[in-house]
Amino acid sequence: MLLNRNALFAKGMRPHNYCLPILKREKHREAVMAAATSGNNKFFLGTDSAPHAKHAKESACGCAGMFSAPVALGIYATAFERAGALDKLEGFASFHGPDFYGLPRNSDKVTLVRRPQRVPDSYVFGDSEVVPMWAGEDVPWSVLNE
C-alpha cells in the first residue's frame, strides 16, 4: 500500500523489496490504498510476511517476498494515517476478516502509539539473517508493549 515498483530501484537495486505479485505502477498502488482505507468490509488485512535469508534475497535468483511481520501494524497505521483514514484501521485489521469468514473476532487488544521506531537493519534468523521491510528507516507508529 505504500510501495510502487520504483521501490525496487530506489538508491540502487533493492532485492528486499522484491515480491510477487511484483510491485505495480503508482496508479495501481493508489487504487489498492483507496480500497483498503475505504472502510468497505470486503477488504481486510492479510500479511504475507516472508522471512527469507539475506543471502537468498541477494542472489542471482532471489526469493520473492518481504519480511514485514515486526513492523506490519506500524506500516499499516502509517498508510491509513496518510490516507486520512485511521478510524478505519481497526475494522480493516481486526473485524472485516473474521466477519467475512464467519469466525469470532479476537478479544485480545493491540495498542498502537504514534512513536517512531527505528527498524533494525537485520534480524538474526537461525544461522542466517533476515532484512525486514523498511530496514534502517523509521516507522512513525509502534505497538505499545504493556
Side-chain angles (χ1 to χ4, degrees):
M1 290 177 18
L2 293 176
L3 301 176
N4 62 32
R5 65 185 180 186
N6 295 335
L8 289 169
F9 307 105
K11 303 176 188 171
M13 183 64 177
R14 304 286 300 264
H16 299 283
N17 286 341
Y18 169 57
C19 58
L20 290 176
I22 196 90
L23 293 169
K24 305 292 189 251
R25 292 185 292 180
E26 179 61 13
K27 73 178 189 176
H28 299 126
R29 186 206 63 78
E30 291 171 352
V32 169
M33 176 74 92
T37 60
S38 69
N40 184 322
N41 66 1
K42 293 180 182 175
F43 301 102
F44 47 88
L45 188 149
T47 59
D48 183 18
S49 191
H52 296 297
K54 182 178 178 181
H55 70 273
K57 292 287 289 180
E58 296 176 0
S59 67
C61 189
C63 298
M66 290 186 249
F67 181 47
S68 61
V71 293
L73 287 177
I75 289 172
Y76 279 112
T78 300
F80 275 71
E81 180 181 47
R82 288 182 186 174
L86 268 176
D87 61 316
K88 296 180 176 68
L89 176 60
E90 185 177 27
F92 178 81
S94 302
F95 303 147
H96 300 170
D99 292 353
F100 177 84
Y101 287 109
L103 299 170
R105 292 179 175 180
N106 194 329
S107 61
D108 292 343
K109 301 285 183 189
V110 172
T111 302
L112 288 164
V113 293
R114 193 158 202 320
R115 181 177 59 211
Q117 63 170 316
R118 174 62 48 113
V119 180
D121 291 328
S122 65
Y123 292 94
V124 174
F125 192 72
D127 294 335
S128 188
E129 63 181 317
V130 177
V131 176
M133 188 174 185
W134 286 24
E137 298 179 39
D138 289 330
V139 175
W141 289 86
S142 302
V143 173
L144 182 63
N145 295 317
E146 298 184 61

